[in-house]
mmCIF file of all heavy atoms in Angstrom:
data_model
loop_
_atom_site.group_PDB
_atom_site.id
_atom_site.type_symbol
_atom_site.label_atom_id
_atom_site.label_comp_id
_atom_site.label_asym_id
_atom_site.label_seq_id
_atom_site.Cartn_x
_atom_site.Cartn_y
_atom_site.Cartn_z
ATOM 1 N N SER A 515 61.788 49.723 215.839
ATOM 2 C CA SER A 515 60.752 49.449 214.835
ATOM 3 C C SER A 515 59.945 48.198 215.171
ATOM 4 O O SER A 515 58.807 48.042 214.712
ATOM 5 C CB SER A 515 61.385 49.287 213.452
ATOM 6 O OG SER A 515 62.239 48.154 213.426
ATOM 7 N N TYR A 516 60.514 47.315 215.977
ATOM 8 C CA TYR A 516 59.834 46.055 216.283
ATOM 9 C C TYR A 516 58.709 46.225 217.301
ATOM 10 O O TYR A 516 58.002 45.269 217.617
ATOM 11 C CB TYR A 516 60.845 45.027 216.787
ATOM 12 C CG TYR A 516 61.828 44.586 215.728
ATOM 13 C CD1 TYR A 516 63.151 45.010 215.752
ATOM 14 C CD2 TYR A 516 61.427 43.750 214.691
ATOM 15 C CE1 TYR A 516 64.054 44.614 214.773
ATOM 16 C CE2 TYR A 516 62.316 43.347 213.708
ATOM 17 C CZ TYR A 516 63.632 43.786 213.753
ATOM 18 O OH TYR A 516 64.515 43.399 212.778
ATOM 19 N N LEU A 517 58.519 47.432 217.810
ATOM 20 C CA LEU A 517 57.482 47.666 218.814
ATOM 21 C C LEU A 517 56.102 47.804 218.192
ATOM 22 O O LEU A 517 55.105 47.885 218.908
ATOM 23 C CB LEU A 517 57.821 48.933 219.623
ATOM 24 C CG LEU A 517 59.134 48.884 220.421
ATOM 25 C CD1 LEU A 517 59.388 50.214 221.104
ATOM 26 C CD2 LEU A 517 59.093 47.741 221.439
ATOM 27 N N ALA A 518 56.033 47.866 216.861
ATOM 28 C CA ALA A 518 54.734 47.997 216.193
ATOM 29 C C ALA A 518 54.623 46.973 215.079
ATOM 30 O O ALA A 518 55.626 46.449 214.576
ATOM 31 C CB ALA A 518 54.566 49.412 215.641
ATOM 32 N N ALA A 519 53.400 46.696 214.681
ATOM 33 C CA ALA A 519 53.142 45.708 213.633
ATOM 34 C C ALA A 519 53.563 46.244 212.263
ATOM 35 O O ALA A 519 53.707 47.451 212.071
ATOM 36 C CB ALA A 519 51.655 45.359 213.615
ATOM 37 N N PRO A 520 53.775 45.353 211.288
ATOM 38 C CA PRO A 520 54.136 45.791 209.933
ATOM 39 C C PRO A 520 53.070 46.722 209.351
ATOM 40 O O PRO A 520 51.868 46.555 209.624
ATOM 41 C CB PRO A 520 54.222 44.479 209.147
ATOM 42 C CG PRO A 520 54.469 43.434 210.168
ATOM 43 C CD PRO A 520 53.742 43.880 211.393
ATOM 44 N N VAL A 521 53.521 47.692 208.578
ATOM 45 C CA VAL A 521 52.611 48.622 207.906
ATOM 46 C C VAL A 521 52.358 48.124 206.496
ATOM 47 O O VAL A 521 53.301 47.838 205.756
ATOM 48 C CB VAL A 521 53.206 50.048 207.875
ATOM 49 C CG1 VAL A 521 52.356 50.962 207.008
ATOM 50 C CG2 VAL A 521 53.317 50.599 209.293
ATOM 51 N N THR A 522 51.107 48.016 206.131
ATOM 52 C CA THR A 522 50.763 47.576 204.775
ATOM 53 C C THR A 522 50.295 48.762 203.955
ATOM 54 O O THR A 522 49.634 49.672 204.471
ATOM 55 C CB THR A 522 49.654 46.510 204.818
ATOM 56 O OG1 THR A 522 48.494 47.082 205.419
ATOM 57 C CG2 THR A 522 50.089 45.300 205.624
ATOM 58 N N GLY A 523 50.647 48.742 202.685
ATOM 59 C CA GLY A 523 50.203 49.820 201.803
ATOM 60 C C GLY A 523 51.086 51.048 201.897
ATOM 61 O O GLY A 523 51.978 51.149 202.738
ATOM 62 N N ARG A 524 50.793 52.004 201.012
ATOM 63 C CA ARG A 524 51.581 53.233 200.934
ATOM 64 C C ARG A 524 51.184 54.233 202.018
ATOM 65 O O ARG A 524 50.072 54.215 202.531
ATOM 66 C CB ARG A 524 51.380 53.863 199.557
ATOM 67 C CG ARG A 524 52.054 53.089 198.429
ATOM 68 C CD ARG A 524 53.445 53.636 198.163
ATOM 69 N NE ARG A 524 53.358 54.898 197.425
ATOM 70 C CZ ARG A 524 54.109 55.955 197.675
ATOM 71 N NH1 ARG A 524 54.980 55.933 198.657
ATOM 72 N NH2 ARG A 524 53.983 57.050 196.945
ATOM 73 N N VAL A 525 52.150 55.128 202.325
ATOM 74 C CA VAL A 525 51.933 56.173 203.320
ATOM 75 C C VAL A 525 52.277 57.514 202.671
ATOM 76 O O VAL A 525 53.248 57.621 201.907
ATOM 77 C CB VAL A 525 52.833 55.946 204.560
ATOM 78 C CG1 VAL A 525 52.691 57.094 205.545
ATOM 79 C CG2 VAL A 525 52.491 54.618 205.224
ATOM 80 N N ASP A 526 51.490 58.539 202.964
ATOM 81 C CA ASP A 526 51.754 59.867 202.421
ATOM 82 C C ASP A 526 52.934 60.499 203.168
ATOM 83 O O ASP A 526 52.842 60.812 204.363
ATOM 84 C CB ASP A 526 50.514 60.743 202.556
ATOM 85 C CG ASP A 526 50.664 62.078 201.820
ATOM 86 O OD1 ASP A 526 51.779 62.363 201.312
ATOM 87 O OD2 ASP A 526 49.678 62.825 201.748
ATOM 88 N N LEU A 527 54.051 60.674 202.472
ATOM 89 C CA LEU A 527 55.278 61.192 203.082
ATOM 90 C C LEU A 527 55.452 62.689 202.868
ATOM 91 O O LEU A 527 56.519 63.245 203.153
ATOM 92 C CB LEU A 527 56.497 60.460 202.493
ATOM 93 C CG LEU A 527 56.506 58.936 202.624
ATOM 94 C CD1 LEU A 527 57.742 58.369 201.921
ATOM 95 C CD2 LEU A 527 56.475 58.504 204.082
ATOM 96 N N THR A 528 54.425 63.359 202.395
ATOM 97 C CA THR A 528 54.534 64.777 202.037
ATOM 98 C C THR A 528 55.130 65.607 203.162
ATOM 99 O O THR A 528 56.025 66.433 202.937
ATOM 100 C CB THR A 528 53.150 65.336 201.651
ATOM 101 O OG1 THR A 528 52.636 64.587 200.545
ATOM 102 C CG2 THR A 528 53.262 66.810 201.259
ATOM 103 N N ASN A 529 54.684 65.402 204.376
ATOM 104 C CA ASN A 529 55.136 66.221 205.511
ATOM 105 C C ASN A 529 56.074 65.460 206.441
ATOM 106 O O ASN A 529 56.242 65.832 207.610
ATOM 107 C CB ASN A 529 53.924 66.721 206.291
ATOM 108 C CG ASN A 529 53.034 67.620 205.441
ATOM 109 O OD1 ASN A 529 53.532 68.494 204.734
ATOM 110 N ND2 ASN A 529 51.726 67.394 205.503
ATOM 111 N N VAL A 530 56.682 64.405 205.938
ATOM 112 C CA VAL A 530 57.583 63.578 206.746
ATOM 113 C C VAL A 530 59.031 63.829 206.326
ATOM 114 O O VAL A 530 59.347 63.827 205.133
ATOM 115 C CB VAL A 530 57.255 62.081 206.590
ATOM 116 C CG1 VAL A 530 58.252 61.227 207.358
ATOM 117 C CG2 VAL A 530 55.840 61.794 207.049
ATOM 118 N N ASP A 531 59.913 64.053 207.309
ATOM 119 C CA ASP A 531 61.348 64.185 207.029
ATOM 120 C C ASP A 531 61.948 62.786 206.978
ATOM 121 O O ASP A 531 62.161 62.149 208.014
ATOM 122 C CB ASP A 531 62.023 65.021 208.117
ATOM 123 C CG ASP A 531 63.505 65.262 207.838
ATOM 124 O OD1 ASP A 531 64.029 64.710 206.843
ATOM 125 O OD2 ASP A 531 64.142 65.990 208.620
ATOM 126 N N THR A 532 62.223 62.316 205.785
ATOM 127 C CA THR A 532 62.704 60.941 205.609
ATOM 128 C C THR A 532 64.193 60.788 205.883
ATOM 129 O O THR A 532 64.710 59.671 205.802
ATOM 130 C CB THR A 532 62.404 60.456 204.182
ATOM 131 O OG1 THR A 532 63.161 61.244 203.243
ATOM 132 C CG2 THR A 532 60.927 60.574 203.856
ATOM 133 N N THR A 533 64.890 61.880 206.203
ATOM 134 C CA THR A 533 66.335 61.796 206.440
ATOM 135 C C THR A 533 66.678 61.637 207.921
ATOM 136 O O THR A 533 67.853 61.525 208.270
ATOM 137 C CB THR A 533 67.052 63.045 205.896
ATOM 138 O OG1 THR A 533 66.626 64.202 206.638
ATOM 139 C CG2 THR A 533 66.740 63.255 204.423
ATOM 140 N N THR A 534 65.695 61.622 208.794
ATOM 141 C CA THR A 534 65.972 61.518 210.225
ATOM 142 C C THR A 534 66.390 60.095 210.587
ATOM 143 O O THR A 534 66.046 59.133 209.894
ATOM 144 C CB THR A 534 64.730 61.896 211.053
ATOM 145 O OG1 THR A 534 63.663 60.994 210.726
ATOM 146 C CG2 THR A 534 64.303 63.326 210.771
ATOM 147 N N PRO A 535 67.119 59.928 211.695
ATOM 148 C CA PRO A 535 67.567 58.585 212.105
ATOM 149 C C PRO A 535 66.426 57.604 212.298
ATOM 150 O O PRO A 535 66.573 56.410 212.040
ATOM 151 C CB PRO A 535 68.304 58.842 213.418
ATOM 152 C CG PRO A 535 68.727 60.272 213.346
ATOM 153 C CD PRO A 535 67.647 60.980 212.591
ATOM 154 N N GLY A 536 65.276 58.087 212.773
ATOM 155 C CA GLY A 536 64.176 57.194 213.098
ATOM 156 C C GLY A 536 63.220 56.906 211.961
ATOM 157 O O GLY A 536 62.208 56.225 212.171
ATOM 158 N N PHE A 537 63.514 57.396 210.765
ATOM 159 C CA PHE A 537 62.628 57.075 209.639
ATOM 160 C C PHE A 537 62.972 55.690 209.104
ATOM 161 O O PHE A 537 64.140 55.366 208.876
ATOM 162 C CB PHE A 537 62.769 58.101 208.512
ATOM 163 C CG PHE A 537 61.878 57.791 207.330
ATOM 164 C CD1 PHE A 537 60.530 58.072 207.374
ATOM 165 C CD2 PHE A 537 62.391 57.182 206.201
ATOM 166 C CE1 PHE A 537 59.695 57.765 206.307
ATOM 167 C CE2 PHE A 537 61.577 56.868 205.123
ATOM 168 C CZ PHE A 537 60.222 57.160 205.177
ATOM 169 N N HIS A 538 61.938 54.878 208.917
ATOM 170 C CA HIS A 538 62.097 53.540 208.352
ATOM 171 C C HIS A 538 61.351 53.508 207.023
ATOM 172 O O HIS A 538 60.171 53.877 206.952
ATOM 173 C CB HIS A 538 61.550 52.475 209.296
ATOM 174 C CG HIS A 538 62.325 52.341 210.567
ATOM 175 N ND1 HIS A 538 62.904 51.151 210.963
ATOM 176 C CD2 HIS A 538 62.645 53.242 211.520
ATOM 177 C CE1 HIS A 538 63.529 51.330 212.116
ATOM 178 N NE2 HIS A 538 63.379 52.600 212.476
ATOM 179 N N GLN A 539 62.039 53.072 205.981
ATOM 180 C CA GLN A 539 61.496 53.137 204.631
ATOM 181 C C GLN A 539 60.296 52.210 204.434
ATOM 182 O O GLN A 539 60.149 51.201 205.138
ATOM 183 C CB GLN A 539 62.595 52.795 203.613
ATOM 184 C CG GLN A 539 63.608 53.894 203.381
ATOM 185 C CD GLN A 539 64.522 54.150 204.563
ATOM 186 O OE1 GLN A 539 64.733 53.261 205.401
ATOM 187 N NE2 GLN A 539 65.079 55.337 204.644
ATOM 188 N N GLU A 540 59.478 52.564 203.472
ATOM 189 C CA GLU A 540 58.337 51.725 203.112
ATOM 190 C C GLU A 540 58.822 50.402 202.523
ATOM 191 O O GLU A 540 59.942 50.311 202.012
ATOM 192 C CB GLU A 540 57.462 52.441 202.085
ATOM 193 C CG GLU A 540 56.802 53.707 202.614
ATOM 194 C CD GLU A 540 55.994 54.412 201.541
ATOM 195 O OE1 GLU A 540 56.612 55.088 200.692
ATOM 196 O OE2 GLU A 540 54.763 54.278 201.544
ATOM 197 N N SER A 541 57.974 49.385 202.594
ATOM 198 C CA SER A 541 58.302 48.100 201.987
ATOM 199 C C SER A 541 57.101 47.606 201.184
ATOM 200 O O SER A 541 55.956 47.977 201.465
ATOM 201 C CB SER A 541 58.688 47.063 203.043
ATOM 202 O OG SER A 541 57.579 46.721 203.849
ATOM 203 N N LEU A 542 57.387 46.797 200.197
ATOM 204 C CA LEU A 542 56.335 46.284 199.332
ATOM 205 C C LEU A 542 55.553 45.147 199.993
ATOM 206 O O LEU A 542 54.325 45.151 200.021
ATOM 207 C CB LEU A 542 56.946 45.798 198.008
ATOM 208 C CG LEU A 542 55.994 45.129 197.026
ATOM 209 C CD1 LEU A 542 54.925 46.119 196.562
ATOM 210 C CD2 LEU A 542 56.775 44.572 195.827
ATOM 211 N N VAL A 543 56.279 44.158 200.537
ATOM 212 C CA VAL A 543 55.651 42.977 201.133
ATOM 213 C C VAL A 543 55.775 43.075 202.650
ATOM 214 O O VAL A 543 56.892 43.102 203.178
ATOM 215 C CB VAL A 543 56.324 41.680 200.633
ATOM 216 C CG1 VAL A 543 55.672 40.463 201.279
ATOM 217 C CG2 VAL A 543 56.262 41.597 199.113
ATOM 218 N N PRO A 544 54.673 43.148 203.376
ATOM 219 C CA PRO A 544 54.760 43.278 204.841
ATOM 220 C C PRO A 544 55.196 41.976 205.502
ATOM 221 O O PRO A 544 54.582 40.925 205.318
ATOM 222 C CB PRO A 544 53.320 43.650 205.241
ATOM 223 C CG PRO A 544 52.459 43.099 204.144
ATOM 224 C CD PRO A 544 53.286 43.189 202.885
ATOM 225 N N LEU A 545 56.277 42.053 206.257
ATOM 226 C CA LEU A 545 56.791 40.917 207.013
ATOM 227 C C LEU A 545 57.202 41.391 208.402
ATOM 228 O O LEU A 545 57.399 42.592 208.625
ATOM 229 C CB LEU A 545 58.003 40.292 206.309
ATOM 230 C CG LEU A 545 57.799 39.614 204.945
ATOM 231 C CD1 LEU A 545 59.150 39.157 204.402
ATOM 232 C CD2 LEU A 545 56.843 38.439 205.056
ATOM 233 N N SER A 546 57.390 40.465 209.301
ATOM 234 C CA SER A 546 57.808 40.822 210.659
ATOM 235 C C SER A 546 59.249 41.290 210.721
ATOM 236 O O SER A 546 59.678 41.897 211.692
ATOM 237 C CB SER A 546 57.617 39.631 211.600
ATOM 238 O OG SER A 546 58.407 38.531 211.163
ATOM 239 N N SER A 547 60.013 41.024 209.671
ATOM 240 C CA SER A 547 61.404 41.474 209.568
ATOM 241 C C SER A 547 61.813 41.420 208.106
ATOM 242 O O SER A 547 61.412 40.500 207.382
ATOM 243 C CB SER A 547 62.329 40.588 210.409
ATOM 244 O OG SER A 547 63.679 40.969 210.265
ATOM 245 N N GLU A 548 62.576 42.382 207.690
ATOM 246 C CA GLU A 548 63.094 42.387 206.305
ATOM 247 C C GLU A 548 64.047 41.219 206.131
ATOM 248 O O GLU A 548 64.674 40.772 207.099
ATOM 249 C CB GLU A 548 63.778 43.732 206.037
ATOM 250 C CG GLU A 548 64.350 43.908 204.652
ATOM 251 C CD GLU A 548 65.822 43.537 204.570
ATOM 252 O OE1 GLU A 548 66.398 43.098 205.596
ATOM 253 O OE2 GLU A 548 66.410 43.699 203.484
ATOM 254 N N THR A 549 64.184 40.707 204.908
ATOM 255 C CA THR A 549 64.973 39.494 204.680
ATOM 256 C C THR A 549 66.274 39.748 203.923
ATOM 257 O O THR A 549 66.464 40.800 203.304
ATOM 258 C CB THR A 549 64.170 38.456 203.872
ATOM 259 O OG1 THR A 549 64.047 38.915 202.509
ATOM 260 C CG2 THR A 549 62.789 38.248 204.452
ATOM 261 N N HIS A 550 67.122 38.739 203.975
ATOM 262 C CA HIS A 550 68.327 38.738 203.142
ATOM 263 C C HIS A 550 67.928 38.660 201.671
ATOM 264 O O HIS A 550 66.784 38.332 201.337
ATOM 265 C CB HIS A 550 69.206 37.525 203.463
ATOM 266 C CG HIS A 550 69.731 37.509 204.857
ATOM 267 N ND1 HIS A 550 70.398 36.437 205.391
ATOM 268 C CD2 HIS A 550 69.680 38.444 205.846
ATOM 269 C CE1 HIS A 550 70.746 36.696 206.632
ATOM 270 N NE2 HIS A 550 70.319 37.902 206.935
ATOM 271 N N ALA A 551 68.897 38.924 200.792
ATOM 272 C CA ALA A 551 68.689 38.760 199.350
ATOM 273 C C ALA A 551 69.717 37.757 198.844
ATOM 274 O O ALA A 551 70.686 37.433 199.526
ATOM 275 C CB ALA A 551 68.823 40.092 198.622
ATOM 276 N N GLY A 552 69.521 37.278 197.627
ATOM 277 C CA GLY A 552 70.355 36.184 197.134
ATOM 278 C C GLY A 552 71.376 36.544 196.088
ATOM 279 O O GLY A 552 72.103 35.674 195.621
#
Side-chain angles (χ1 to χ4, degrees):
S515 64
Y516 293 107
L517 298 177
V521 172
T522 61
R524 289 267 284 139
V525 175
D526 188 354
L527 303 177
T528 301
N529 298 315
V530 176
D531 183 356
T532 65
T533 65
T534 61
F537 179 77
H538 293 238
Q539 285 69 24
E540 295 178 282
S541 67
L542 175 63
V543 179
L545 294 176
S546 61
S547 177
E548 181 266 2
T549 72
H550 297 172

